[in-house]
Amino acid sequence: MRTKYQRAFDHVAASHRLKEEVRNMTKQERRALHRQVPKTLLAAVLVVLLLAGTALAVSTPGIQDWFRQYWQEATGQTKMDKGQAAAVDGLTQSVGSQAAGQEREEDVIVELPGAVGEETAPAAGPESGTSSPASREENAAGPEDTAQSPAAEAAAVASEVTVTVDSVTAGKSNLWILLHVSGDYQPGKHYSFWSGWLEGAPEKSFEEVGIVVSTGIIFSRDNTRVREDGSLEMLVRYESPDPTADLTESRDMTLELEDLRADGEVLVKGRWEVPISLSATETQPPLVLENVTLPLTEDGVTRQVTYQKVEVTSTGVQLTCAPQDWKNALAFYDMVLVLKDGSEVATEGGRANWVGEADVSPYVGSFAWKMPVDLDQAAALRFRETTVPLA
């Protein structure tokens, strides 16, 4: 595989067999397994762009209310028309499942074998809510300790905090998930979880090199607020690492969250596992353009960027380019969807990956709109200064 890669991906997952072996270890047997992956191999596997959002002032709970606020910001309209409201409601499902916090299992750091001399990510430390096996042994309560251990205290607090998945809006390559977190929180603080994953969500496998890529939950300060009763509401996102996956199909998943934080500090140490069961969702037919060539000016130099296919859905857009042009997949991450009334809906994030094996299959950049959009109102895509009609 060629090594002209310049971008990094989120997470490399160990094989299911390795995970099972680690689970079956006793506490004495568990140890950090260092896993190094060459940067040159990983660099272009997956790209995450987290773009800044806009502060919101939502008066009532509900995932549709967040989208109504976005709609007002984009169009100036205080109310969605019937087509736009139907586009949002048709992709949204009530879930209502919840789980109380529980004590986390001991942290097990699993790393892949790789090239010698390659730089690796720093090990998780106290600031991330984890500790080394040695520090856990030193802090473990001895036979004569009568006080409750810090872990037990944390578990007791976590059990009092319930996380509820209120509803989910599903797009082809992304999900919006509305969470309610019980408790009494303070407005103005930044609340998030230290980590979040969707067990059962799509993964991207590169069989040629034995790597499995999975992605985590995206938290945003602007998509978090304290409700009137003092509880917490979070609109979080998931973006699939597999460009061929379709998240509008029926799927059973488990949302796994660890360690609730406030302004970067661990507030509640624990683990939450919330089941999510989604039915298949009917979507509007995508708008597809083929062989689109666009001018891209960077540092005063203009070059031509060609996409084999541009597919616009009600929840986002996918740009497909030839394997050798993989750098172009994210060249226009700041594109917008232009509506017939002249309003514009921006993207809020994206990622890119190969359709098949790395470096030899088409490379796809997938971007999510700020909200679902009625495609009957879509008029054009604007790539920086270039506007491409969709009709």
Side-chain angles (χ1 to χ4, degrees):
M1 183 188 299
R2 293 189 295 273
T3 60
K4 299 178 181 179
Y5 306 144
Q6 299 176 341
R7 301 187 185 274
F9 67 70
D10 314 44
H11 178 71
V12 180
S15 68
H16 293 293
R17 179 180 177 183
L18 177 56
K19 289 180 180 178
E20 189 62 31
E21 290 176 354
V22 170
R23 291 192 189 99
N24 292 335
M25 290 180 181
T26 66
K27 291 183 179 181
Q28 290 75 23
E29 292 172 324
R30 291 182 180 180
R31 61 187 179 87
L33 304 176
H34 292 288
R35 176 180 185 178
Q36 298 180 358
V37 181
K39 286 190 299 182
T40 52
L41 170 64
L42 306 183
V45 176
L46 184 65
V47 178
V48 179
L49 298 176
L50 302 181
L51 306 181
T54 304
L56 303 175
V58 184
S59 58
T60 55
I63 199 168
Q64 291 92 338
D65 293 304
W66 290 86
F67 295 137
R68 290 188 189 101
Q69 179 66 29
Y70 298 152
W71 180 255
Q72 182 176 353
E73 293 171 357
T75 67
Q77 302 173 16
T78 58
K79 185 178 180 180
M80 292 182 181
D81 58 42
K82 291 184 179 179
Q84 175 61 24
V88 173
D89 294 342
L91 298 172
T92 301
Q93 301 181 42
S94 295
V95 178
S97 57
Q98 61 179 231
Q102 54 187 314
E103 182 180 358
R104 309 199 265 111
E105 295 180 2
E106 284 193 66
D107 299 304
V108 180
I109 301 174
V110 180
E111 299 183 356
L112 285 174
V116 176
E118 290 291 343
E119 183 180 351
T120 58
E127 292 183 359
S128 64
T130 65
S131 59
S132 66
S135 64
R136 284 195 296 271
E137 292 175 4
E138 292 171 1
N139 294 329
E144 298 181 358
D145 289 330
T146 57
Q148 190 177 36
S149 70
E153 291 176 357
V157 174
S159 66
E160 298 172 1
V161 177
T162 299
V163 174
T164 301
V165 175
D166 175 271
S167 50
V168 175
T169 300
K172 180 181 178 180
S173 61
N174 63 294
L175 299 172
W176 290 275
I177 305 172
L178 184 64
L179 306 180
H180 290 164
V181 184
S182 67
D184 191 10
Y185 304 94
Q186 301 177 28
K189 287 193 173 184
H190 178 209
Y191 294 98
S192 65
F193 287 89
W194 179 74
S195 69
W197 300 95
L198 271 177
E199 186 69 28
E203 296 179 331
K204 174 59 182 175
S205 176
F206 291 91
E207 297 181 359
E208 192 175 90
V209 291
I211 289 178
V212 177
V213 179
S214 58
T215 59
I217 296 297
I218 301 169
F219 300 91
S220 169
R221 177 190 294 269
D222 296 325
N223 292 354
T224 300
R225 73 181 187 95
V226 177
R227 303 171 66 190
E228 292 182 0
D229 62 0
S231 63
L232 202 59
E233 185 170 279
M234 296 179 174
L235 182 60
V236 302
R237 293 189 295 114
Y238 167 81
E239 297 174 357
S240 171
D242 182 358
T244 67
D246 188 350
L247 292 172
T248 64
E249 299 174 348
S250 60
R251 192 179 298 271
D252 292 325
M253 300 173 288
T254 300
L255 175 64
E256 300 179 358
L257 303 169
E258 288 190 358
D259 292 355
L260 179 63
R261 302 189 303 174
D263 292 335
E265 299 292 332
V266 176
L267 180 65
V268 181
K269 190 177 182 65
R271 180 180 180 85
W272 292 260
E273 297 182 358
V274 191
I276 300 176
S277 182
L278 299 179
S279 302
T281 302
E282 185 175 350
T283 61
Q284 292 178 286
L287 304 176
V288 180
L289 304 175
E290 296 183 349
N291 298 319
V292 177
T293 300
L294 304 166
L296 175 64
T297 301
E298 294 177 317
D299 299 326
V301 178
T302 300
R303 61 186 177 90
Q304 300 300 309
V305 175
T306 299
Y307 294 109
Q308 297 172 338
K309 184 171 71 171
V310 176
E311 181 176 334
V312 180
T313 68
S314 57
T315 56
V317 58
Q318 288 189 327
L319 309 177
T320 302
C321 56
Q324 67 273 16
D325 297 329
W326 64 267
K327 292 181 182 179
N328 295 332
L330 297 174
F332 296 99
Y333 61 83
D334 54 350
M335 82 188 86
V336 298
L337 178 65
V338 182
L339 305 183
K340 292 178 179 178
D341 66 357
S343 302
E344 296 182 348
V345 178
T347 57
E348 68 171 344
R351 67 183 66 250
N353 218 329
W354 282 280
V355 170
E357 285 300 318
D359 210 35
V360 295
S361 61
Y363 198 69
V364 178
S366 301
F367 303 85
W369 304 127
K370 184 72 172 177
M371 59 188 170
V373 178
D374 174 18
L375 286 184
D376 290 338
Q377 302 190 43
L381 284 174
R382 183 165 58 79
F383 301 82
R384 297 189 181 181
E385 293 79 23
T386 303
T387 299
V388 179
L390 291 173

